[in-house]
Amino acid sequence: VAAVWINSERNAAEKNHQQADQNFKLAKQAVDEMLTKSAAALEDEPGQHELRQSLLGNAQDFYERLVQDRPDDPDLQYEMGLAWHRLGEINNDLGEFDAATEAFSNAIEIQSELSGLNPGNPRMRRQLAETHDSLGENYRTLQKNLEAESQYNLALALLNDLTQKDDQNRIYHVQQGRSLNNLGLVYYQTNRGDEAHAAFSQVITDLTKLPLK
């Protein structure tokens, strides 16, 4: 009887844990749909700045609670990395660049560990590259060009490896072009014209080789 009861309790706990994971993912998706995308749609609408800021502020509050609620749950680490990345983007949109730096850095810490544990998973490596690029953009906004350059190079190292393994993946090439273009902007802003020209030229050459679809 005791064994049956223990198994029943274990199954119930596992079911509750799975349901909590699903609720976490659904809540994050709902906020992205209702708040952040609505705010993005209002970006260029005249007279809607205060409403957009309010929507982003609500999304910011949600994500801050989200990442604090279950920070060490191993089953949700990939989602947590995405949540920290999204919080960084929201902080950026709100002009809170120091908070964005912290959020992107937290995302990179999680994503780096996951990528190391799953070296054959290209999705995790691509997401890590995207977060490095986003942190680089944040540093470039703060005119921290050395830090920005380092982040872009980290992103490009990951993307170069991905494109070598899957040269037909258009997403990898587009993301690679974006990071290289951003690196070119750092070169330009730090008076390295030849390096900037080489970077921009490489972006044009690489992207013109891609199929339209």
Side-chain angles (χ1 to χ4, degrees):
V1 175
V4 172
W5 180 84
I6 291 173
N7 285 333
S8 176
E9 290 297 305
R10 184 188 301 117
N11 291 337
E14 178 62 25
K15 184 176 181 180
N16 289 338
H17 183 77
Q18 291 175 355
Q19 185 61 48
D21 289 353
Q22 183 65 20
N23 291 342
F24 178 101
K25 295 173 183 177
L26 288 174
K28 187 170 78 67
Q29 180 181 356
V31 169
D32 274 340
E33 292 291 335
M34 295 177 61
L35 294 177
T36 58
K37 289 186 178 180
S38 297
L42 293 172
E43 185 172 4
D44 297 322
E45 291 293 326
Q48 299 299 320
H49 177 73
E50 290 187 5
L51 175 59
R52 178 175 182 272
Q53 294 296 96
S54 176
L55 288 170
L56 286 172
N58 289 336
Q60 181 186 46
D61 290 341
F62 171 81
Y63 272 102
E64 286 177 346
R65 291 196 301 272
L66 197 68
V67 296
Q68 292 169 5
D69 185 39
R70 300 171 69 183
D72 299 317
D73 190 329
D75 295 333
L76 286 177
Q77 286 306 290
Y78 181 75
E79 293 293 331
M80 291 299 295
L82 295 179
W84 276 114
H85 184 122
R86 194 71 189 98
L87 180 58
E89 292 177 329
I90 293 168
N91 288 335
N92 248 337
D93 286 342
L94 290 169
E96 299 178 12
F97 300 115
D98 289 337
T101 298
E102 180 179 0
F104 286 134
S105 297
N106 286 337
I108 287 171
E109 181 177 354
I110 292 171
Q111 292 165 353
S112 294
E113 182 174 357
L114 288 176
S115 182
L117 293 172
N118 302 275
N121 188 319
R123 181 181 67 160
M124 291 182 178
R125 293 172 67 78
R126 187 184 72 81
Q127 183 59 52
L128 176 57
E130 184 174 341
T131 307
H132 277 303
D133 185 82
S134 295
L135 180 55
E137 281 294 88
N138 186 67
Y139 279 137
R140 192 164 66 83
T141 300
L142 293 169
Q143 298 184 339
K144 295 182 177 181
N145 288 311
L146 287 177
E147 291 89 342
E149 182 176 346
S150 175
Q151 292 301 316
Y152 295 142
N153 280 322
L154 288 169
L156 286 168
L158 290 163
L159 292 165
N160 291 341
D161 182 64
L162 288 171
T163 54
Q164 287 176 6
K165 293 177 179 177
D166 185 3
D167 189 54
Q168 299 303 308
N169 191 308
R170 181 180 177 84
I171 294 175
Y172 296 163
H173 285 286
V174 170
Q175 192 171 334
Q176 184 183 44
R178 183 180 64 195
S179 292
L180 184 55
N181 183 75
N182 290 336
L183 182 60
L185 291 173
V186 169
Y187 290 151
Y188 179 79
Q189 291 169 349
T190 53
N191 300 314
R192 288 180 280 173
D194 290 343
E195 291 174 271
H197 181 268
F200 296 143
S201 297
Q202 188 64 51
V203 172
I204 294 171
T205 299
D206 290 346
L207 295 184
T208 52
K209 294 178 181 178
L210 292 181
L212 294 178
K213 292 184 180 180

